[in-house]
């Protein structure tokens, strides 16, 4: 049987393009929104539009925010002595959830000169004393750490990384809170 469901199909395909969403789930979501709860669909569409317009990256640390600077950069009660380097904003959510870190952050999602220059600026501006690499252990990430340490050579910094307890190759958002919290507390020399 031939039927024209091109608009429905476009919605399914759009959901399917999202991470972790397979075809079945995409169809279920599209059906739910188009037939069961169109009001939720409108709300979703508005929330997406609004987020795309207003959510951006903090110009200082790279964390997601809705203004030029994020709440963490603006928070003067946080400890500027220690700067935690992560590879994704999602890792900051995970670390913040442990409530065991009160320093500042810097997101390096890509090793390029622009990011390294921004990192140097924040180190100077914050008068950073310790750089903590909150990065999951792997060979590639060891190289990542060495590269950054080399670029920050001459800034009189202590380099540390998460202690054992964060499993190799697992992204921080998937590490259980207790292990992550402990590995921040008993961090080791990098
Ligand atoms: Zn920030």
């Amino acid at each position: 049987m031939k039927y024209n469901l091109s608009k429905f199909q476009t919605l399914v395909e759009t959901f399917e393009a999202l991470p972790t969403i397979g075809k079945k789930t995409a169809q279920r979501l599209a059906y739910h929104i188009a037939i069961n709860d169109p009001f939720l669909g409108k709300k979703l569409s508005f929330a997406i539009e609004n987020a795309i317009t207003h959510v951006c990256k903090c110009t200082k640390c790279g964390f997601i925010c809705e203004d030029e600077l994020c709440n963490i950069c603006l928070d003067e009660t946080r400890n500027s002595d220690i700067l935690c380097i992560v590879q994704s904003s999602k890792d900051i959510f995970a670390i913040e959830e442990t409530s065991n870190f009160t320093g500042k952050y810097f997101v390096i999602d890509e090793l390029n000169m622009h990011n390294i220059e921004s990192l140097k600026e924040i180190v100077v501006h914050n008068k950073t004393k310790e750089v903590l690499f909150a990065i999951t252990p792997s060979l590639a990430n060891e190289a990542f750490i060495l590269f950054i340490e080399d670029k920050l050579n001459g800034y009189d910094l202590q380099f540390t990384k998460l202690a054992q307890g964060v499993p190799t190759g697992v992204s921080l958002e998937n590490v259980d809170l207790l292990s992550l919290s402990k590995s921040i507390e008993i961090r080791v020399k990098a």
Side-chain angles (χ1 to χ4, degrees):
M1 190 173 80
K2 249 189 163 232
Y3 39 70
N4 180 12
L5 283 175
S6 62
K7 292 182 180 63
F8 181 73
Q9 216 42 49
T10 304
L11 185 59
V12 172
E13 282 162 19
T14 310
F15 274 124
E16 212 182 338
L18 292 169
T20 76
I21 306 279
K23 195 177 179 83
K24 280 238 159 68
T25 308
Q27 277 173 343
R28 225 173 282 144
L29 291 174
Y31 187 85
H32 184 78
I33 274 170
I35 304 295
N36 291 346
D37 198 346
F39 180 68
L40 176 67
K42 295 254 186 222
K43 250 173 92 175
L44 182 66
S45 139
F46 177 73
I48 291 172
E49 186 73 43
N50 217 12
I52 290 172
T53 312
H54 297 287
V55 177
C56 53
K57 284 183 178 177
C58 171
T59 53
K60 195 169 170 193
C61 74
F63 186 39
I64 70 165
C65 64
E66 296 181 13
D67 289 295
E68 201 184 327
L69 294 175
C70 71
N71 286 347
I72 296 176
C73 282
L74 289 172
D75 187 347
E76 287 178 3
T77 66
R78 293 187 74 111
N79 181 3
S80 290
D81 289 351
I82 167 161
L83 184 71
C84 177
I85 293 187
V86 293
Q87 289 175 317
S88 157
S89 274
K90 287 184 286 181
D91 298 337
I92 298 183
F93 288 127
I95 295 169
E96 284 300 290
E97 210 156 315
T98 69
S99 310
N100 209 6
F101 180 76
T102 55
K104 303 274 185 165
Y105 292 97
F106 188 77
V107 183
I108 294 197
D109 45 8
E110 197 186 332
L111 278 183
N112 57 40
M113 281 328 284
H114 172 74
N115 283 341
I116 296 293
E117 284 312 310
S118 305
L119 173 61
K120 286 178 179 172
E121 269 170 40
I122 200 170
V123 161
V124 172
H125 182 266
N126 287 4
K127 299 190 177 72
T128 306
K129 294 188 176 69
E130 177 185 343
V131 169
L132 164 63
F133 294 96
I135 287 168
T136 32
S138 75
L139 269 181
N141 285 344
E142 282 304 315
F144 177 93
I145 291 174
L146 286 175
F147 182 84
I148 293 173
E149 279 188 25
D150 182 58
K151 295 294 171 201
L152 292 177
N153 194 3
Y155 283 87
D156 194 21
L157 293 163
Q158 193 194 345
F159 295 106
T160 53
K161 62 183 177 186
L162 297 180
Q164 298 294 324
V166 173
T168 309
V170 175
S171 94
L172 288 191
E173 59 180 323
N174 296 321
V175 176
D176 71 280
L177 269 188
L178 196 66
S179 303
L180 183 57
S181 185
K182 202 86 205 133
S183 68
I184 295 169
E185 205 176 296
I186 54 167
R187 56 189 182 271
V188 295
K189 198 173 171 304

